Amino acid sequence: FADVPNGLAAISKVPAMGWAQVVAYAGFCELSAGSDDWKTGTPGDYGFKVLTSSDPAEKTKKLSAELANGRLAMMAIIGMFFQDGLTGSAWGDWALYTDSPLRAFENELGVQDPVGFWDPLGFTSDGDVTAFKRRRTVELKHGRISMLATMGYITPE
């Protein structure tokens, strides 16, 4: 396995018969485990009560937690795929991604660990220093008025 790379690059090393086995096994799991469980309203319930529960309220609580954790895991794996595609590593070595437009402002006021320069909507992706400074000024003003509003909201309580 020394020639198999990490991350998404490993997909290119799987032979065609390997993909056929993956698809066949996934099909077996989907079809053999009872594909009609959605009709009964008990998806994923195979009668194993050690991890779930016989109590309906407890079971509902555990299934809700499983759904929430599953949703979080789905978002996490997509984020890891995206990061792996950009940097070649799913574990956050952003030093390898030197083409990022975010690097233009990473030494500016307000850049803090662990996030670094945070611009989730890409407002500064064009690298315009004048627009950045204007937005930073507006951000400071909005932050100050929000802090005052928070104090004003808490004071009467």
PDB file of all heavy atoms in Angstrom, residues 114-145:
ATOM      1  N   PRO A 114      -8.214  30.290  15.905  1.00  0.00           N
ATOM      2  CA  PRO A 114      -7.715  29.299  14.970  1.00  0.00           C
ATOM      3  C   PRO A 114      -8.220  29.506  13.550  1.00  0.00           C
ATOM      4  O   PRO A 114      -7.835  28.806  12.631  1.00  0.00           O
ATOM      5  CB  PRO A 114      -8.274  27.991  15.531  1.00  0.00           C
ATOM      6  CG  PRO A 114      -9.587  28.386  16.092  1.00  0.00           C
ATOM      7  CD  PRO A 114      -9.368  29.777  16.638  1.00  0.00           C
ATOM      8  N   VAL A 115      -9.114  30.485  13.336  1.00  0.00           N
ATOM      9  CA  VAL A 115      -9.750  30.648  12.028  1.00  0.00           C
ATOM     10  C   VAL A 115      -8.833  31.337  11.028  1.00  0.00           C
ATOM     11  O   VAL A 115      -8.815  31.014   9.854  1.00  0.00           O
ATOM     12  CB  VAL A 115     -11.072  31.432  12.163  1.00  0.00           C
ATOM     13  CG1 VAL A 115     -11.724  31.652  10.821  1.00  0.00           C
ATOM     14  CG2 VAL A 115     -12.013  30.705  13.094  1.00  0.00           C
ATOM     15  N   GLY A 116      -8.047  32.294  11.491  1.00  0.00           N
ATOM     16  CA  GLY A 116      -7.239  33.077  10.574  1.00  0.00           C
ATOM     17  C   GLY A 116      -8.103  34.155   9.936  1.00  0.00           C
ATOM     18  O   GLY A 116      -9.035  34.658  10.540  1.00  0.00           O
ATOM     19  N   PHE A 117      -7.824  34.502   8.710  1.00  0.00           N
ATOM     20  CA  PHE A 117      -8.634  35.492   8.011  1.00  0.00           C
ATOM     21  C   PHE A 117      -9.940  34.841   7.616  1.00  0.00           C
ATOM     22  O   PHE A 117      -9.973  33.875   6.871  1.00  0.00           O
ATOM     23  CB  PHE A 117      -7.894  36.036   6.784  1.00  0.00           C
ATOM     24  CG  PHE A 117      -8.688  37.075   6.059  1.00  0.00           C
ATOM     25  CD1 PHE A 117      -8.913  38.306   6.642  1.00  0.00           C
ATOM     26  CD2 PHE A 117      -9.230  36.818   4.816  1.00  0.00           C
ATOM     27  CE1 PHE A 117      -9.655  39.273   5.991  1.00  0.00           C
ATOM     28  CE2 PHE A 117      -9.969  37.772   4.165  1.00  0.00           C
ATOM     29  CZ  PHE A 117     -10.182  39.007   4.745  1.00  0.00           C
ATOM     30  N   TRP A 118     -11.049  35.387   8.094  1.00  0.00           N
ATOM     31  CA  TRP A 118     -12.357  34.760   7.918  1.00  0.00           C
ATOM     32  C   TRP A 118     -13.214  35.597   6.989  1.00  0.00           C
ATOM     33  O   TRP A 118     -13.602  36.718   7.313  1.00  0.00           O
ATOM     34  CB  TRP A 118     -13.023  34.609   9.285  1.00  0.00           C
ATOM     35  CG  TRP A 118     -14.225  33.734   9.265  1.00  0.00           C
ATOM     36  CD1 TRP A 118     -14.260  32.396   9.047  1.00  0.00           C
ATOM     37  CD2 TRP A 118     -15.578  34.119   9.496  1.00  0.00           C
ATOM     38  NE1 TRP A 118     -15.542  31.915   9.115  1.00  0.00           N
ATOM     39  CE2 TRP A 118     -16.370  32.970   9.401  1.00  0.00           C
ATOM     40  CE3 TRP A 118     -16.202  35.320   9.777  1.00  0.00           C
ATOM     41  CZ2 TRP A 118     -17.748  32.984   9.566  1.00  0.00           C
ATOM     42  CZ3 TRP A 118     -17.569  35.324   9.950  1.00  0.00           C
ATOM     43  CH2 TRP A 118     -18.321  34.168   9.842  1.00  0.00           C
ATOM     44  N   ASP A 119     -13.479  35.075   5.813  1.00  0.00           N
ATOM     45  CA  ASP A 119     -14.321  35.742   4.826  1.00  0.00           C
ATOM     46  C   ASP A 119     -15.137  34.668   4.109  1.00  0.00           C
ATOM     47  O   ASP A 119     -14.857  34.309   2.969  1.00  0.00           O
ATOM     48  CB  ASP A 119     -13.460  36.518   3.836  1.00  0.00           C
ATOM     49  CG  ASP A 119     -14.281  37.267   2.804  1.00  0.00           C
ATOM     50  OD1 ASP A 119     -15.474  37.530   3.064  1.00  0.00           O
ATOM     51  OD2 ASP A 119     -13.736  37.584   1.740  1.00  0.00           O
ATOM     52  N   PRO A 120     -16.170  34.122   4.774  1.00  0.00           N
ATOM     53  CA  PRO A 120     -16.883  32.976   4.210  1.00  0.00           C
ATOM     54  C   PRO A 120     -17.629  33.289   2.915  1.00  0.00           C
ATOM     55  O   PRO A 120     -17.864  32.390   2.112  1.00  0.00           O
ATOM     56  CB  PRO A 120     -17.846  32.572   5.323  1.00  0.00           C
ATOM     57  CG  PRO A 120     -18.024  33.795   6.145  1.00  0.00           C
ATOM     58  CD  PRO A 120     -16.728  34.533   6.058  1.00  0.00           C
ATOM     59  N   LEU A 121     -18.005  34.544   2.684  1.00  0.00           N
ATOM     60  CA  LEU A 121     -18.744  34.872   1.468  1.00  0.00           C
ATOM     61  C   LEU A 121     -17.838  35.360   0.345  1.00  0.00           C
ATOM     62  O   LEU A 121     -18.306  35.642  -0.754  1.00  0.00           O
ATOM     63  CB  LEU A 121     -19.816  35.924   1.777  1.00  0.00           C
ATOM     64  CG  LEU A 121     -20.878  35.471   2.783  1.00  0.00           C
ATOM     65  CD1 LEU A 121     -21.859  36.594   3.054  1.00  0.00           C
ATOM     66  CD2 LEU A 121     -21.596  34.237   2.295  1.00  0.00           C
ATOM     67  N   GLY A 122     -16.551  35.479   0.612  1.00  0.00           N
ATOM     68  CA  GLY A 122     -15.594  35.836  -0.432  1.00  0.00           C
ATOM     69  C   GLY A 122     -15.649  37.290  -0.864  1.00  0.00           C
ATOM     70  O   GLY A 122     -15.337  37.613  -2.012  1.00  0.00           O
ATOM     71  N   PHE A 123     -16.024  38.202   0.036  1.00  0.00           N
ATOM     72  CA  PHE A 123     -16.091  39.618  -0.318  1.00  0.00           C
ATOM     73  C   PHE A 123     -14.723  40.175  -0.715  1.00  0.00           C
ATOM     74  O   PHE A 123     -14.642  41.112  -1.483  1.00  0.00           O
ATOM     75  CB  PHE A 123     -16.650  40.445   0.846  1.00  0.00           C
ATOM     76  CG  PHE A 123     -18.125  40.260   1.061  1.00  0.00           C
ATOM     77  CD1 PHE A 123     -18.609  39.928   2.305  1.00  0.00           C
ATOM     78  CD2 PHE A 123     -19.028  40.419   0.016  1.00  0.00           C
ATOM     79  CE1 PHE A 123     -19.965  39.764   2.514  1.00  0.00           C
ATOM     80  CE2 PHE A 123     -20.385  40.251   0.216  1.00  0.00           C
ATOM     81  CZ  PHE A 123     -20.868  39.919   1.463  1.00  0.00           C
ATOM     82  N   THR A 124     -13.663  39.615  -0.176  1.00  0.00           N
ATOM     83  CA  THR A 124     -12.330  40.152  -0.453  1.00  0.00           C
ATOM     84  C   THR A 124     -11.555  39.300  -1.455  1.00  0.00           C
ATOM     85  O   THR A 124     -10.352  39.453  -1.586  1.00  0.00           O
ATOM     86  CB  THR A 124     -11.520  40.244   0.853  1.00  0.00           C
ATOM     87  OG1 THR A 124     -11.431  38.939   1.415  1.00  0.00           O
ATOM     88  CG2 THR A 124     -12.166  41.184   1.838  1.00  0.00           C
ATOM     89  N   SER A 125     -12.240  38.432  -2.157  1.00  0.00           N
ATOM     90  CA  SER A 125     -11.538  37.523  -3.062  1.00  0.00           C
ATOM     91  C   SER A 125     -10.866  38.245  -4.223  1.00  0.00           C
ATOM     92  O   SER A 125      -9.964  37.701  -4.851  1.00  0.00           O
ATOM     93  CB  SER A 125     -12.502  36.462  -3.601  1.00  0.00           C
ATOM     94  OG  SER A 125     -13.550  37.073  -4.324  1.00  0.00           O
ATOM     95  N   ASP A 126     -11.288  39.487  -4.504  1.00  0.00           N
ATOM     96  CA  ASP A 126     -10.642  40.225  -5.593  1.00  0.00           C
ATOM     97  C   ASP A 126      -9.324  40.868  -5.172  1.00  0.00           C
ATOM     98  O   ASP A 126      -8.558  41.320  -6.012  1.00  0.00           O
ATOM     99  CB  ASP A 126     -11.590  41.284  -6.151  1.00  0.00           C
ATOM    100  CG  ASP A 126     -12.028  42.302  -5.111  1.00  0.00           C
ATOM    101  OD1 ASP A 126     -11.620  42.181  -3.932  1.00  0.00           O
ATOM    102  OD2 ASP A 126     -12.786  43.226  -5.474  1.00  0.00           O
ATOM    103  N   GLY A 127      -9.042  40.921  -3.854  1.00  0.00           N
ATOM    104  CA  GLY A 127      -7.778  41.473  -3.375  1.00  0.00           C
ATOM    105  C   GLY A 127      -7.720  42.981  -3.338  1.00  0.00           C
ATOM    106  O   GLY A 127      -6.643  43.556  -3.174  1.00  0.00           O
ATOM    107  N   ASP A 128      -8.861  43.664  -3.484  1.00  0.00           N
ATOM    108  CA  ASP A 128      -8.909  45.121  -3.485  1.00  0.00           C
ATOM    109  C   ASP A 128      -8.688  45.658  -2.070  1.00  0.00           C
ATOM    110  O   ASP A 128      -9.524  45.490  -1.183  1.00  0.00           O
ATOM    111  CB  ASP A 128     -10.262  45.588  -4.025  1.00  0.00           C
ATOM    112  CG  ASP A 128     -10.354  47.096  -4.171  1.00  0.00           C
ATOM    113  OD1 ASP A 128      -9.343  47.787  -3.909  1.00  0.00           O
ATOM    114  OD2 ASP A 128     -11.438  47.589  -4.554  1.00  0.00           O
ATOM    115  N   VAL A 129      -7.539  46.318  -1.847  1.00  0.00           N
ATOM    116  CA  VAL A 129      -7.168  46.798  -0.514  1.00  0.00           C
ATOM    117  C   VAL A 129      -8.096  47.912  -0.055  1.00  0.00           C
ATOM    118  O   VAL A 129      -8.484  47.967   1.121  1.00  0.00           O
ATOM    119  CB  VAL A 129      -5.692  47.271  -0.507  1.00  0.00           C
ATOM    120  CG1 VAL A 129      -5.325  47.884   0.832  1.00  0.00           C
ATOM    121  CG2 VAL A 129      -4.774  46.110  -0.831  1.00  0.00           C
ATOM    122  N   THR A 130      -8.506  48.799  -0.946  1.00  0.00           N
ATOM    123  CA  THR A 130      -9.400  49.900  -0.578  1.00  0.00           C
ATOM    124  C   THR A 130     -10.745  49.372  -0.095  1.00  0.00           C
ATOM    125  O   THR A 130     -11.268  49.815   0.936  1.00  0.00           O
ATOM    126  CB  THR A 130      -9.608  50.841  -1.784  1.00  0.00           C
ATOM    127  OG1 THR A 130      -8.330  51.257  -2.263  1.00  0.00           O
ATOM    128  CG2 THR A 130     -10.430  52.052  -1.397  1.00  0.00           C
ATOM    129  N   ALA A 131     -11.297  48.419  -0.827  1.00  0.00           N
ATOM    130  CA  ALA A 131     -12.579  47.825  -0.423  1.00  0.00           C
ATOM    131  C   ALA A 131     -12.432  47.080   0.901  1.00  0.00           C
ATOM    132  O   ALA A 131     -13.327  47.125   1.745  1.00  0.00           O
ATOM    133  CB  ALA A 131     -13.088  46.889  -1.512  1.00  0.00           C
ATOM    134  N   PHE A 132     -11.292  46.421   1.098  1.00  0.00           N
ATOM    135  CA  PHE A 132     -11.061  45.719   2.363  1.00  0.00           C
ATOM    136  C   PHE A 132     -11.054  46.695   3.529  1.00  0.00           C
ATOM    137  O   PHE A 132     -11.686  46.456   4.558  1.00  0.00           O
ATOM    138  CB  PHE A 132      -9.740  44.939   2.318  1.00  0.00           C
ATOM    139  CG  PHE A 132      -9.347  44.386   3.654  1.00  0.00           C
ATOM    140  CD1 PHE A 132      -9.944  43.239   4.137  1.00  0.00           C
ATOM    141  CD2 PHE A 132      -8.397  45.025   4.436  1.00  0.00           C
ATOM    142  CE1 PHE A 132      -9.605  42.728   5.385  1.00  0.00           C
ATOM    143  CE2 PHE A 132      -8.041  44.524   5.676  1.00  0.00           C
ATOM    144  CZ  PHE A 132      -8.654  43.370   6.145  1.00  0.00           C
ATOM    145  N   LYS A 133     -10.335  47.798   3.379  1.00  0.00           N
ATOM    146  CA  LYS A 133     -10.244  48.765   4.474  1.00  0.00           C
ATOM    147  C   LYS A 133     -11.606  49.396   4.762  1.00  0.00           C
ATOM    148  O   LYS A 133     -11.955  49.631   5.918  1.00  0.00           O
ATOM    149  CB  LYS A 133      -9.206  49.830   4.146  1.00  0.00           C
ATOM    150  CG  LYS A 133      -7.790  49.284   4.224  1.00  0.00           C
ATOM    151  CD  LYS A 133      -6.759  50.347   3.997  1.00  0.00           C
ATOM    152  CE  LYS A 133      -5.372  49.721   4.135  1.00  0.00           C
ATOM    153  NZ  LYS A 133      -4.307  50.686   4.039  1.00  0.00           N
ATOM    154  N   ARG A 134     -12.395  49.659   3.723  1.00  0.00           N
ATOM    155  CA  ARG A 134     -13.733  50.200   3.936  1.00  0.00           C
ATOM    156  C   ARG A 134     -14.606  49.193   4.675  1.00  0.00           C
ATOM    157  O   ARG A 134     -15.287  49.534   5.642  1.00  0.00           O
ATOM    158  CB  ARG A 134     -14.386  50.553   2.595  1.00  0.00           C
ATOM    159  CG  ARG A 134     -15.758  51.212   2.766  1.00  0.00           C
ATOM    160  CD  ARG A 134     -16.468  51.417   1.437  1.00  0.00           C
ATOM    161  NE  ARG A 134     -16.814  50.164   0.790  1.00  0.00           N
ATOM    162  CZ  ARG A 134     -17.839  49.378   1.148  1.00  0.00           C
ATOM    163  NH1 ARG A 134     -18.598  49.697   2.174  1.00  0.00           N
ATOM    164  NH2 ARG A 134     -18.095  48.274   0.493  1.00  0.00           N
ATOM    165  N   ARG A 135     -14.547  47.940   4.268  1.00  0.00           N
ATOM    166  CA  ARG A 135     -15.349  46.905   4.931  1.00  0.00           C
ATOM    167  C   ARG A 135     -14.897  46.686   6.376  1.00  0.00           C
ATOM    168  O   ARG A 135     -15.705  46.431   7.255  1.00  0.00           O
ATOM    169  CB  ARG A 135     -15.273  45.605   4.146  1.00  0.00           C
ATOM    170  CG  ARG A 135     -16.077  45.642   2.876  1.00  0.00           C
ATOM    171  CD  ARG A 135     -16.158  44.269   2.228  1.00  0.00           C
ATOM    172  NE  ARG A 135     -16.874  44.338   0.988  1.00  0.00           N
ATOM    173  CZ  ARG A 135     -16.315  44.287  -0.216  1.00  0.00           C
ATOM    174  NH1 ARG A 135     -15.012  44.126  -0.327  1.00  0.00           N
ATOM    175  NH2 ARG A 135     -17.050  44.366  -1.300  1.00  0.00           N
ATOM    176  N   ARG A 136     -13.605  46.783   6.617  1.00  0.00           N
ATOM    177  CA  ARG A 136     -13.106  46.623   7.981  1.00  0.00           C
ATOM    178  C   ARG A 136     -13.616  47.760   8.869  1.00  0.00           C
ATOM    179  O   ARG A 136     -14.004  47.557  10.010  1.00  0.00           O
ATOM    180  CB  ARG A 136     -11.569  46.579   7.968  1.00  0.00           C
ATOM    181  CG  ARG A 136     -10.902  46.361   9.307  1.00  0.00           C
ATOM    182  CD  ARG A 136     -11.420  45.173  10.114  1.00  0.00           C
ATOM    183  NE  ARG A 136     -11.563  43.951   9.411  1.00  0.00           N
ATOM    184  CZ  ARG A 136     -10.723  42.925   9.415  1.00  0.00           C
ATOM    185  NH1 ARG A 136      -9.636  42.988  10.121  1.00  0.00           N
ATOM    186  NH2 ARG A 136     -10.977  41.843   8.726  1.00  0.00           N
ATOM    187  N   THR A 137     -13.641  48.983   8.343  1.00  0.00           N
ATOM    188  CA  THR A 137     -14.172  50.123   9.086  1.00  0.00           C
ATOM    189  C   THR A 137     -15.651  49.927   9.387  1.00  0.00           C
ATOM    190  O   THR A 137     -16.108  50.153  10.511  1.00  0.00           O
ATOM    191  CB  THR A 137     -13.958  51.426   8.288  1.00  0.00           C
ATOM    192  OG1 THR A 137     -12.565  51.568   8.021  1.00  0.00           O
ATOM    193  CG2 THR A 137     -14.464  52.629   9.044  1.00  0.00           C
ATOM    194  N   VAL A 138     -16.406  49.500   8.386  1.00  0.00           N
ATOM    195  CA  VAL A 138     -17.840  49.246   8.570  1.00  0.00           C
ATOM    196  C   VAL A 138     -18.053  48.125   9.588  1.00  0.00           C
ATOM    197  O   VAL A 138     -18.943  48.206  10.443  1.00  0.00           O
ATOM    198  CB  VAL A 138     -18.492  48.904   7.213  1.00  0.00           C
ATOM    199  CG1 VAL A 138     -19.907  48.395   7.396  1.00  0.00           C
ATOM    200  CG2 VAL A 138     -18.469  50.119   6.298  1.00  0.00           C
ATOM    201  N   GLU A 139     -17.205  47.093   9.532  1.00  0.00           N
ATOM    202  CA  GLU A 139     -17.311  45.988  10.486  1.00  0.00           C
ATOM    203  C   GLU A 139     -17.086  46.481  11.910  1.00  0.00           C
ATOM    204  O   GLU A 139     -17.809  46.090  12.842  1.00  0.00           O
ATOM    205  CB  GLU A 139     -16.304  44.897  10.139  1.00  0.00           C
ATOM    206  CG  GLU A 139     -16.335  43.715  11.076  1.00  0.00           C
ATOM    207  CD  GLU A 139     -15.260  42.686  10.774  1.00  0.00           C
ATOM    208  OE1 GLU A 139     -14.298  42.986  10.038  1.00  0.00           O
ATOM    209  OE2 GLU A 139     -15.385  41.566  11.312  1.00  0.00           O
ATOM    210  N   LEU A 140     -16.100  47.347  12.115  1.00  0.00           N
ATOM    211  CA  LEU A 140     -15.849  47.895  13.444  1.00  0.00           C
ATOM    212  C   LEU A 140     -17.035  48.713  13.937  1.00  0.00           C
ATOM    213  O   LEU A 140     -17.460  48.583  15.094  1.00  0.00           O
ATOM    214  CB  LEU A 140     -14.589  48.759  13.435  1.00  0.00           C
ATOM    215  CG  LEU A 140     -13.270  48.009  13.438  1.00  0.00           C
ATOM    216  CD1 LEU A 140     -12.116  48.954  13.160  1.00  0.00           C
ATOM    217  CD2 LEU A 140     -13.067  47.289  14.749  1.00  0.00           C
ATOM    218  N   LYS A 141     -17.603  49.536  13.059  1.00  0.00           N
ATOM    219  CA  LYS A 141     -18.754  50.355  13.455  1.00  0.00           C
ATOM    220  C   LYS A 141     -19.945  49.479  13.810  1.00  0.00           C
ATOM    221  O   LYS A 141     -20.614  49.702  14.822  1.00  0.00           O
ATOM    222  CB  LYS A 141     -19.122  51.320  12.330  1.00  0.00           C
ATOM    223  CG  LYS A 141     -18.116  52.433  12.137  1.00  0.00           C
ATOM    224  CD  LYS A 141     -18.516  53.333  10.994  1.00  0.00           C
ATOM    225  CE  LYS A 141     -17.494  54.434  10.777  1.00  0.00           C
ATOM    226  NZ  LYS A 141     -17.864  55.299   9.655  1.00  0.00           N
ATOM    227  N   HIS A 142     -20.224  48.486  12.986  1.00  0.00           N
ATOM    228  CA  HIS A 142     -21.354  47.588  13.256  1.00  0.00           C
ATOM    229  C   HIS A 142     -21.127  46.786  14.537  1.00  0.00           C
ATOM    230  O   HIS A 142     -22.064  46.560  15.309  1.00  0.00           O
ATOM    231  CB  HIS A 142     -21.576  46.644  12.078  1.00  0.00           C
ATOM    232  CG  HIS A 142     -22.133  47.323  10.877  1.00  0.00           C
ATOM    233  ND1 HIS A 142     -22.195  46.709   9.654  1.00  0.00           N
ATOM    234  CD2 HIS A 142     -22.660  48.561  10.689  1.00  0.00           C
ATOM    235  CE1 HIS A 142     -22.722  47.530   8.769  1.00  0.00           C
ATOM    236  NE2 HIS A 142     -23.013  48.665   9.370  1.00  0.00           N
ATOM    237  N   GLY A 143     -19.899  46.350  14.754  1.00  0.00           N
ATOM    238  CA  GLY A 143     -19.589  45.614  15.975  1.00  0.00           C
ATOM    239  C   GLY A 143     -19.776  46.466  17.213  1.00  0.00           C
ATOM    240  O   GLY A 143     -20.329  46.011  18.220  1.00  0.00           O
ATOM    241  N   ARG A 144     -19.357  47.726  17.139  1.00  0.00           N
ATOM    242  CA  ARG A 144     -19.500  48.619  18.295  1.00  0.00           C
ATOM    243  C   ARG A 144     -20.972  48.892  18.606  1.00  0.00           C
ATOM    244  O   ARG A 144     -21.382  48.848  19.766  1.00  0.00           O
ATOM    245  CB  ARG A 144     -18.753  49.923  18.032  1.00  0.00           C
ATOM    246  CG  ARG A 144     -17.251  49.746  18.061  1.00  0.00           C
ATOM    247  CD  ARG A 144     -16.517  50.978  17.617  1.00  0.00           C
ATOM    248  NE  ARG A 144     -15.079  50.723  17.616  1.00  0.00           N
ATOM    249  CZ  ARG A 144     -14.210  51.456  16.940  1.00  0.00           C
ATOM    250  NH1 ARG A 144     -14.613  52.483  16.219  1.00  0.00           N
ATOM    251  NH2 ARG A 144     -12.929  51.157  16.980  1.00  0.00           N
ATOM    252  N   ILE A 145     -21.763  49.163  17.577  1.00  0.00           N
ATOM    253  CA  ILE A 145     -23.172  49.444  17.822  1.00  0.00           C
ATOM    254  C   ILE A 145     -23.892  48.192  18.315  1.00  0.00           C
ATOM    255  O   ILE A 145     -24.792  48.262  19.151  1.00  0.00           O
ATOM    256  CB  ILE A 145     -23.873  50.057  16.579  1.00  0.00           C
ATOM    257  CG1 ILE A 145     -25.200  50.716  16.979  1.00  0.00           C
ATOM    258  CG2 ILE A 145     -24.124  49.036  15.509  1.00  0.00           C
ATOM    259  CD1 ILE A 145     -25.055  51.925  17.820  1.00  0.00           C
TER     260      ILE A 145
END
